[in-house]
């Protein structure tokens, strides 16, 4: 996976996007205090693609297209081990 400064999103937003794309309902449970102890305290992190851009890479597809391609690849390769 490669980041893009054209699309900043959260894991929850990605889950909702996948749900919308495939007609699935997405829900989240509230973590218990014990579960929260194992969570990262990082609230906002963004991958950096500057080195890739420096060698000519650029964003060519949207997050939705990338997610759809990922799901299709998983479906095609499921059971091919």
């Amino acid at each position: 996976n490669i980041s893009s400064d054209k699309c900043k999103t959260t894991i929850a937003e990605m889950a909702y996007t996948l749900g919308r794309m495939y007609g699935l309902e997405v829900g989240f449970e509230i973590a218990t205090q014990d579960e929260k102890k194992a969570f990262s305290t990082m609230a906002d992190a963004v991958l950096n693609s500057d080195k890739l851009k420096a060698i000519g890479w650029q964003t060519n597809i949207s997050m939705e297209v990338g997610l759809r391609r990922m799901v299709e690849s998983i479906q095609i390769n499921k059971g091919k081990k």
Side-chain angles (χ1 to χ4, degrees):
N1 295 333
I2 299 175
S3 69
S4 169
D5 51 8
K6 294 180 182 178
C7 177
K8 183 177 174 185
T9 189
T10 66
I11 293 170
E13 288 168 346
M14 264 198 238
Y16 285 124
T17 299
L18 283 164
R20 187 177 62 255
M21 290 168 57
Y22 291 95
L24 302 170
E25 186 175 330
V26 175
F28 297 94
E29 295 180 7
I30 304 299
T32 66
Q33 288 301 321
D34 285 337
E35 290 171 330
K36 287 181 182 180
K37 291 177 186 175
F39 292 173
S40 171
T41 56
M42 189 179 308
D44 189 22
V46 179
L47 297 174
N48 186 318
S49 57
D50 289 346
K51 289 182 180 180
L52 290 170
K53 289 179 191 174
I55 60 171
W57 178 84
Q58 59 185 337
T59 303
N60 292 324
I61 62 171
S62 67
M63 180 181 72
E64 289 83 3
V65 170
L67 290 172
R68 187 173 307 281
R69 287 182 183 178
M70 176 192 67
V71 169
E72 289 171 356
S73 176
I74 291 168
Q75 291 171 334
I76 290 168
N77 292 298
K78 191 174 184 180
K80 285 190 174 181
K81 290 185 177 184

